[in-house]
Amino acid sequence: MLSDSVGVLKGVGEVKRKALSSMGIDTVGDLLFTVPRAYEDRTKLFGIAEAFSLPYPVCIKATVGTRPKKAILPGRRHVTKCRIFDDWDGAELIFFNRPYVDRQLEMGKEYVFFGRVTVFGSSYQLVNPEFEAVGKGKISGKILPVYHLTEGISRNFMTDIVAKALDRENFIEDFMPSDVLKHYGLISLDSAVRSVHFPQSAEDAKKASARLSFNELTVYSAALSQIKSNLKAGSAPKMKVISLNPFLEKLSFALTGAQKRTINEIFGDMYSGIPMNRLVQGDVGSGKTVVAAAAVYLSFLNGYQSSVIAPTELLAIQHFGYMSKILSPLGAKIELLVGSTTKKEKERIKQSLKSGEIDVLIGTHALLQDDVEFKNAALFVVDEQHRFGVAQREKFGKRGTESHTLVMSATPIPRTLNLIIYGELDVSLIDELPPGRQKIETYAVDESYDQRLFAFIRKQADQKGQVYIVCPLALENEESDLLSAEAYSEKLKKVFPDLKVAMLHGKLKAAEKQAIMASFKSGETDILVSTTVIEVGVDVPNATLMIVRNAERFGLSQLHQLRGRVGRGPRQSYCILVSHSKTPRLKIMEKTDNGFEIAQEDLKIRGPGDFFGLAQHGLPRYSGIVNTADMETIKKAFDFSEKLIKSDPKLEKAENLWLSQRVSALRTKIGSAPLN
């Protein structure tokens, strides 16, 4: 049975069982639903030159052309070499520490080698490949799974026990109704589990992945739908209608049509008495913050407190400055609470908040701590929402006895992917930029342009413009060839001794970061070398040039965010993306400044699982199979789930018991780890 301990499988002793348990594999079912992270397609045979053009190992058919020769290197390491040939090319075959391999290779005989062809000097070479005689079919002619492993668990062992588990399970019962499978064109669960581990073709693997992704996304979507239903079942302060004119008079610009539409949607929610849970999504520079300020103003005029939560201190400080400028003259008492706030000041702010003296509190996620108590909070505004999970979003709505939640994201996300990340929220889209914003001229170049870049930096500085330079690393790292902010800032100080160069990264103390940014905003600093800590929210109108080093290491959407740090003033601005080589995917950054088009392209390249990069969360942390889901599968799963929840909101019908049980299990996990 799937519920049996994995220890029932032959070869899984106590040591192996514990190692598997550390991977989250305790039962036979856990093992079978731990899917491969990738596959090696060994069904195709390549020539030596063809294989060299590929960045991964493949099967190469070649003949051993010279007798293998052995030698002993220092440290008693063995090396064996010979030449192999196909119809067109030759390569040197090298084995390290395989002392008997010379007896296994016969000159003049044809073999299939599995490995990666590289170049050393002017010659192709193949190092330590697997091999077998042509026609044997043990290592070639099949698609083999590649699993995430841990210490004590080898790839061969994992493949072997999965095969044993599949042999043991004659049939894996399907919980999904057959009519659903037919409607959405999905294969059976039994076929999916077998094919996902040992597919006969790439198409088999794709169908298996689609079915298993559909399972998990259906459960995830249903859980989000229940959260959304529960949130709307409560009540929140029913705001009285106000005039927005005093607020609008404090602005130095006219609102766009999209901003007006979004404010109307927000006010409609807050007038209703039903808890608002709304996402405001807009491109870089579309004006989301002023929309949030309008919501805060509505709450203030109705006698309620509001909170604005940002993911970083830099962004929180900037929100504090912006909100204070607009709302303080209108009578709102605004305070800032961040990690660098002194202990004495924190206590004063907490007491004032609890007594109701503070109308608006701005800070980081530390505002969610239990000792931060509001007297009558009615609105929570959360910026850069993709950095928070569903669990935290639920918590925002529970900080007061009743409250509204408004979340904002400057990361454009394709509509379908929105379903995964923000499935429990209503969405407002600010799809219009303020008039007069100039297009940021963008160029993708390689490192041969470095001297010209220095000249361009000098030109911007001479014209009193300021420069951002973003590096992927903060500090020098011997194990990485990536450029660090530390090393590059030192280099620029030598190139531009008359300019002030500063360095900013996340490892600095909060007070240091604030001082560095204040110096840059005031114009005292000419060049700011930074990591992606300046990715969101930083607003310096005088900055006219953004240079991103090692741009190939960033996602397109992240590059678009970085580009949005310039072009905020009246002068023409530029973005230069520097990579080791002219990476083709960066070309879209030259063609368009539409964040949603860029996000769609990014999604095609990286897939939904890696859309936000390694450090951010875009999908439910389940088996990892959803990371390979295509958009069509995501659409199908959310469509099915939506129909089920509509007909049976609490999943009480007998035919929906399978889904109810799985949703309950997933909802239980929300308490300890976010869904996304």
Side-chain angles (χ1 to χ4, degrees), residues 658-672:
W658 64 272
L659 182 57
S660 177
Q661 290 171 338
R662 285 164 173 79
V663 167
S664 294
L666 187 55
R667 289 301 311 275
T668 299
K669 286 184 179 181
I670 295 177
S672 58

Side-chain angles (χ1 to χ4, degrees), residues 280-299:
V280 174
Q281 190 179 48
D283 209 340
V284 176
S286 61
K288 296 173 294 301
T289 309
V290 70
V291 167
V296 171
Y297 180 64
L298 172 61
S299 176

Side-chain angles (χ1 to χ4, degrees), residues 449-465:
Y449 281 73
D450 275 3
Q451 292 304 315
R452 277 178 275 185
L453 280 180
F454 292 152
F456 198 52
I457 291 170
R458 169 61 68 187
K459 181 179 179 182
Q460 297 304 307
D462 288 347
Q463 295 174 354
K464 305 304 180 186

Side-chain angles (χ1 to χ4, degrees), residues 565-581:
R565 297 311 101 215
V566 296
R568 292 171 171 260
R571 297 168 55 191
Q572 178 62 55
S573 292
Y574 305 87
C575 177
I576 314 294
L577 306 175
V578 186
S579 57
H580 283 310
S581 58

Side-chain angles (χ1 to χ4, degrees), residues 415-485:
R415 183 181 174 278
T416 308
L417 203 57
N418 253 333
L419 294 172
I420 301 177
I421 302 160
Y422 303 120
E424 87 282 15
L425 301 175
D426 297 315
V427 179
S428 291
L429 186 63
I430 303 181
D431 52 2
E432 180 183 358
L433 291 177
R437 281 184 65 98
Q438 294 189 53
K439 185 178 187 298
I440 300 166
E441 296 292 336
T442 303
Y443 304 95
V445 302
D446 60 34
E447 291 170 338
S448 67
Y449 281 73
D450 275 3
Q451 292 304 315
R452 277 178 275 185
L453 280 180
F454 292 152
F456 198 52
I457 291 170
R458 169 61 68 187
K459 181 179 179 182
Q460 297 304 307
D462 288 347
Q463 295 174 354
K464 305 304 180 186
Q466 291 169 276
V467 180
Y468 289 107
I469 299 178
V470 174
C471 299
L473 293 182
L475 306 176
E476 201 69 18
N477 185 342
E478 292 181 1
E479 297 179 4
S480 175
D481 61 350
L482 298 179
L483 193 61
S484 73

Side-chain angles (χ1 to χ4, degrees), residues 70-316:
K70 286 197 305 184
I72 298 179
L73 302 175
R76 299 193 60 78
R77 291 187 304 141
H78 291 81
V79 61
T80 304
K81 296 181 180 181
C82 66
R83 295 284 297 174
I84 58 172
F85 300 90
D86 60 19
D87 291 339
W88 304 99
D89 295 283
E92 186 171 35
L93 191 61
I94 305 172
F95 294 94
F96 291 103
N97 296 322
R98 301 263 295 268
Y100 305 110
V101 75
D102 61 316
R103 303 177 192 174
Q104 299 166 339
L105 290 168
E106 186 179 332
M107 190 173 70
K109 191 170 181 179
E110 199 170 35
Y111 294 86
V112 174
F113 300 92
F114 180 76
R116 185 178 173 190
V117 174
T118 58
V119 164
F120 184 76
S122 60
S123 176
Y124 291 125
Q125 67 177 19
L126 190 57
V127 180
N128 281 346
E130 296 177 59
F131 66 92
E132 66 184 7
V134 169
K136 196 169 183 181
K138 188 174 181 181
I139 68 158
S140 62
K142 58 186 74 173
I143 297 174
L144 296 181
V146 180
Y147 299 94
H148 286 291
L149 303 171
T150 191
E151 187 176 352
I153 303 296
S154 69
R155 177 182 175 180
N156 287 342
F157 174 79
M158 191 73 175
T159 304
D160 183 55
I161 61 169
V162 167
K164 288 176 180 175
L166 288 172
D167 286 343
R168 187 175 181 272
E169 299 296 325
N170 294 325
F171 180 72
I172 299 171
E173 188 176 354
D174 211 325
F175 51 79
M176 196 78 75
S178 57
D179 59 329
V180 173
L181 299 182
K182 185 176 180 181
H183 179 75
Y184 290 105
L186 300 168
I187 63 175
S188 71
L189 186 60
D190 184 76
S191 296
V193 171
R194 295 178 192 282
S195 290
V196 83
H197 291 288
F198 301 109
Q200 295 300 304
S201 65
E203 186 62 25
D204 280 352
K206 184 178 178 181
K207 288 179 179 178
S209 174
R211 169 60 209 273
L212 297 178
S213 298
F214 184 88
N215 290 358
E216 294 188 13
L217 289 168
T218 294
V219 175
Y220 183 71
S221 174
L224 288 180
S225 295
Q226 285 194 344
I227 292 172
K228 190 171 187 175
S229 178
N230 292 342
L231 290 170
K232 287 187 177 295
S235 61
K238 188 173 183 177
M239 303 289 177
K240 295 177 183 176
V241 177
I242 64 149
S243 169
L244 198 57
N245 288 335
F247 175 87
L248 297 175
E249 288 169 4
K250 293 296 177 186
L251 303 180
S252 58
F253 54 88
L255 296 177
T256 64
Q259 287 172 319
K260 291 176 183 177
R261 182 184 68 241
T262 300
I263 289 173
N264 285 334
E265 290 169 347
I266 291 168
F267 280 26
D269 288 344
M270 295 175 74
Y271 290 151
S272 72
I274 298 170
M276 172 175 68
N277 283 280
R278 182 169 292 278
L279 165 70
V280 174
Q281 190 179 48
D283 209 340
V284 176
S286 61
K288 296 173 294 301
T289 309
V290 70
V291 167
V296 171
Y297 180 64
L298 172 61
S299 176
F300 164 65
L301 283 193
N302 276 270
Y304 293 100
Q305 293 171 303
S306 299
S307 178
V308 180
I309 303 169
T312 67
E313 283 198 19
L314 280 176
L315 193 50

